[in-house]
């Protein structure tokens, strides 16, 4: 009976590993403005994301200027200025400010139930570029008004379901990882042969890590396949990878811990049999 109970607990632990990781991620990573901004910060250097920002910002700023016969030259100057600005520390600072604002807007959408997409308002970036253009003496740059440009990075159909799911994950993020750890300890404690139980629990943790990794990869494919045609898939993929980096790291860590525990238990058994 104790052997069957221990086996059932090991299976439950394997299933709870991905659920625990996702719950903790939603609560402590997505739900925290500082961690969200830090996760998105490296995208300032990503070529696909930078290309989307430059192209859309160029169109937005060019549309604010009527330069008559000089329009082509002014557009080229704005595009060049944006490409140069995208490699500066000021751009990275503006990018972080834009993402912090996007995080606030996302949480507000969850609370209010309004909106159907995750967008980034590039107003801080455009304001910085406008100042750079004026300082460089670009013609007509002083005519650019304060401009808001939102870039859609994710879209969702059912905000109500997303809000409920997100809140449930935030609540579970507090206790679900602890429950998983307690069940792993209990699986060993109730077993008749504890060394074998440690080996099985370690393999269960490793299996849970594989499930987590598979879920992240599968959700990436489904998310990108569901995107509208006007969303850049390379940029959206980079955003997805940045947001789920914690889950992929967690999968590797849990896999390593589980295999190490299983290997230690197996080696202990081999040493005991050695005369």
């Amino acid at each position: 009976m104790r052997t069957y109970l221990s086996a059932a607990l090991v299976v439950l632990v394997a299933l709870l590993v991905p659920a625990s990781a996702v719950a903790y991620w939603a609560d402590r990573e997505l739900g925290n403005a500082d961690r969200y901004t830090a996760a998105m910060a490296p995208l300032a250097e990503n070529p696909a994301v930078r290309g989307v920002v430059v192209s859309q910002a160029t169109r937005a700023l060019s549309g604010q200027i009527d330069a008559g016969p000089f329009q082509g030259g002014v557009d080229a100057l704005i595009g060049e200025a944006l490409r140069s600005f995208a490699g500066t520390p000021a751009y990275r600072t503006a990018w972080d400010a834009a993402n912090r604002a996007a995080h606030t807007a996302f949480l507000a959408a969850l609370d209010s139930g309004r909106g159907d997409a995750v967008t980034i308002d590039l107003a801080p970036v455009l304001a910085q570029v406008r100042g750079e253009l004026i300082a460089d003496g670009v013609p007509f740059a002083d005519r650019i008004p304060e401009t808001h440009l939102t870039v859609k990075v994710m879209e969702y159909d059912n905000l109500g379901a997303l809000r409920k799911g997100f809140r449930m994950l935030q609540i579970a993020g507090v206790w679900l990882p602890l429950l998983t750890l307690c069940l792993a300890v209990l699986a060993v404690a109730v077993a008749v042969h504890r060394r074998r139980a440690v080996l099985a629990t370690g393999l269960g943790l490793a299996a849970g890590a594989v499930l987590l990794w598979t879920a992240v990869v599968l959700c990436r494919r489904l998310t990108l396949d569901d995107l509208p045609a006007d969303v850049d898939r390379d940029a959206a993929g980079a955003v997805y990878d940045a947001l789920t980096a914690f889950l992929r790291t967690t999968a590797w860590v849990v896999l390593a811990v589980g295999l190490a525990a299983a290997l230690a238990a197996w080696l202990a058994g081999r040493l005991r049999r050695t005369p």
Side-chain angles (χ1 to χ4, degrees), residues 123-172:
V125 175
L126 298 181
Q128 288 273 5
V129 173
R130 180 181 182 276
E132 295 280 337
L133 293 173
I134 294 173
D136 291 342
V138 174
F140 307 105
D142 57 339
R143 297 186 185 180
I144 301 174
E146 180 180 346
T147 304
H148 287 273
L149 170 65
T150 57
V151 176
K152 185 187 298 183
V153 294
M154 291 291 170
E155 191 172 36
Y156 33 84
D157 296 325
N158 192 339
L159 184 61
L162 178 63
R163 179 173 63 250
K164 292 178 182 177
F166 187 74
R167 294 306 179 206
M168 288 178 62
L169 287 174
Q170 283 190 304
I171 295 172

Side-chain angles (χ1 to χ4, degrees), residues 16-256:
L16 285 178
V17 164
S20 300
V22 171
Y24 187 90
W25 168 71
D27 182 35
R28 301 302 173 90
E29 298 294 319
L30 288 189
N32 184 282
D34 291 335
R35 291 191 177 96
Y36 175 86
T37 303
M40 296 290 282
L43 293 178
E45 308 291 338
N46 183 275
V49 175
R50 185 183 292 182
V52 170
V53 172
V54 169
S55 62
Q56 295 205 24
T58 299
R59 285 197 297 269
L61 292 179
S62 299
Q64 304 296 326
I65 300 175
D66 182 9
F70 305 104
Q71 189 69 49
V74 171
D75 291 352
L77 286 172
I78 290 176
E80 184 59 35
L82 274 163
R83 281 187 287 273
S84 298
F85 176 68
T88 65
Y91 169 75
R92 290 189 287 273
T93 300
W95 173 257
D96 289 344
N99 278 288
R100 187 173 291 275
H103 182 268
T104 301
F106 173 66
L107 292 184
L110 287 179
D111 289 335
S112 65
R114 293 190 296 271
D116 60 356
V118 178
T119 59
I120 298 175
D121 186 356
L122 296 179
V125 175
L126 298 181
Q128 288 273 5
V129 173
R130 180 181 182 276
E132 295 280 337
L133 293 173
I134 294 173
D136 291 342
V138 174
F140 307 105
D142 57 339
R143 297 186 185 180
I144 301 174
E146 180 180 346
T147 304
H148 287 273
L149 170 65
T150 57
V151 176
K152 185 187 298 183
V153 294
M154 291 291 170
E155 191 172 36
Y156 33 84
D157 296 325
N158 192 339
L159 184 61
L162 178 63
R163 179 173 63 250
K164 292 178 182 177
F166 187 74
R167 294 306 179 206
M168 288 178 62
L169 287 174
Q170 283 190 304
I171 295 172
V174 177
W175 56 266
L176 197 54
L178 290 176
L179 175 62
T180 304
L181 181 60
C182 290
L183 291 178
V185 173
L186 187 60
V188 176
V190 301
V192 176
H193 303 287
R194 291 187 176 175
R195 182 187 58 79
R196 294 179 184 174
V198 170
L199 191 152
T201 302
L203 293 177
L205 289 172
V210 172
L211 287 175
L212 174 60
W213 181 272
T214 303
V216 171
V217 172
L218 180 60
C219 286
R220 186 185 196 276
R221 182 177 303 173
L222 294 174
T223 298
L224 296 185
D225 287 346
D226 259 357
L227 288 175
D230 61 339
V231 176
D232 186 283
R233 276 163 172 70
D234 290 337
V239 171
Y240 181 93
D241 292 340
L243 290 178
T244 57
F246 171 82
L247 294 177
R248 295 195 305 275
T249 301
T250 299
W252 281 114
V253 170
V254 174
L255 179 66

